[in-house]
Amino acid sequence: MEKIKILIFGSCVSRDPFGHSDQPANALNFKIIDYYARSSMASLSTKPLYGLNTSKITSPFQKKMVDRDLQKIFFKDIHLLDFDILLIDFIDDRLNLILTDDGYGVTDSPEFKKSEINLNNLPHRILSCNHDLYKHHWQQGWKQFLHTLESIKKVKSLLINTVFYSNKDDRGEKLPHQNHINLSNSYLSWAYEQVSADLPKTQFLQYEDIEFISKSDHQWGKAPFHYTSSVEQACLAEIKNFYYLSAHH
């Protein structure tokens, strides 16, 4: 059986359900074409930064993530990639945007910090996702994202992973920073509202009857977006449904 080719622009919530390369993904007939992480629509809308030395990032995967975000490489790559589904999520919007006065931008991720790049000679500000200017750039990035997909006739391949932060773990314990969780979920609702103006409901991966629960012994540590396996299984099932429905239309 031919594998369903998945391209991911997002975070671990979209990547983790597929397991590792030698685990469930193959058994479930999925193939990950590529994975673009630690970036956001807001970052994509800013001018690319070339020539910055990221060699202090020791992990090749993390270095590649940061380089791609700095250079906004996604819009170039997508023309060359063969995929059935483009799965995106907005969890990495929790990371601030570094925006220079000249309009250059980069995601202020833990991986970017490892590069030890000094931006002191570039006048800049740091914006959280709830800042009006961040949201303006996010909307511009989304327009460019959609326009790019239209240009390659791939809009119908787009699937929005409509996840929310969990407020408790699988032991029934409330997670810390409930205020932050509520703010983050309000932001995610805003983001889904933006894209719902351009996409039909069928292109939103819905978690009907599935509660978002944090996994206390998750491989990446406990966090409001590190979910139990029931969430991940629901994700895979919905992706398959989306693929087979779209293939017959």
Side-chain angles (χ1 to χ4, degrees), residues 13-222:
V13 303
S14 294
R15 179 63 184 89
D16 284 353
F18 299 97
H20 302 289
S21 58
D22 58 348
Q23 282 182 341
N26 294 331
L28 290 168
N29 305 308
F30 294 109
K31 181 181 180 184
I32 304 297
I33 299 301
D34 212 329
Y35 172 37
Y36 292 76
R38 296 295 193 260
S39 198
S40 65
M41 295 295 159
S43 177
L44 282 180
S45 79
T46 61
K47 293 195 284 190
L49 274 161
Y50 298 106
L52 294 182
N53 185 357
T54 56
S55 62
K56 286 190 177 177
I57 305 174
T58 54
S59 159
F61 175 69
Q62 292 179 359
K63 182 181 184 303
K64 184 169 76 170
M65 282 195 303
V66 172
D67 287 339
R68 282 173 158 181
D69 182 51
L70 282 165
Q71 297 167 21
K72 320 303 170 200
I73 209 83
F74 182 79
F75 286 140
K76 294 175 187 172
D77 285 358
I78 197 167
H79 292 272
L80 310 170
L81 296 167
D82 176 28
F83 58 93
D84 297 313
I85 294 173
L86 170 52
L87 181 64
I88 72 173
D89 70 78
F90 306 132
I91 290 293
D92 277 353
D93 291 4
R94 72 189 188 280
L95 304 168
N96 293 334
L97 175 70
I98 299 172
L99 181 67
T100 75
D101 292 357
D102 294 330
Y104 298 94
V106 63
T107 303
D108 193 17
S109 65
E111 293 78 13
F112 175 72
K113 287 180 169 69
K114 287 179 185 177
S115 72
E116 298 179 19
I117 289 170
N118 187 343
L119 294 175
N120 288 344
N121 60 343
L122 279 175
H124 65 275
R125 51 203 300 199
I126 297 178
L127 307 173
S128 80
C129 64
N130 284 303
H131 194 287
D132 287 345
L133 185 55
Y134 181 102
K135 288 183 172 179
H136 167 75
H137 277 284
W138 195 99
Q139 289 168 322
Q140 295 304 114
W142 168 247
K143 282 180 188 172
Q144 195 178 346
F145 195 93
L146 203 58
H147 177 72
T148 304
L149 287 179
E150 284 167 352
S151 73
I152 57 171
K153 296 180 168 55
K154 281 286 195 178
V155 175
K156 289 183 177 177
S157 301
L158 183 58
L159 184 59
I160 311 294
N161 196 354
T162 54
V163 292
F164 286 95
Y165 279 40
S166 50
N167 57 25
K168 63 182 179 181
D169 66 19
D170 48 9
R171 296 171 181 158
E173 294 176 8
K174 276 196 167 188
L175 297 180
H177 312 300
Q178 290 281 315
N179 257 359
H180 174 70
I181 289 170
N182 292 335
L183 274 174
S184 299
N185 282 336
S186 293
Y187 170 79
L188 288 169
S189 293
W190 173 85
Y192 300 142
E193 196 176 309
Q194 303 306 302
V195 297
S196 67
D198 299 305
L199 298 174
K201 283 183 180 177
T202 50
Q203 286 182 248
F204 288 77
L205 197 162
Q206 302 288 356
Y207 292 86
E208 309 288 351
D209 306 321
I210 294 288
E211 196 177 356
F212 292 108
I213 303 287
S214 173
K215 189 176 181 182
S216 51
D217 61 348
H218 194 279
Q219 60 177 328
W220 309 123
K222 189 161 75 169

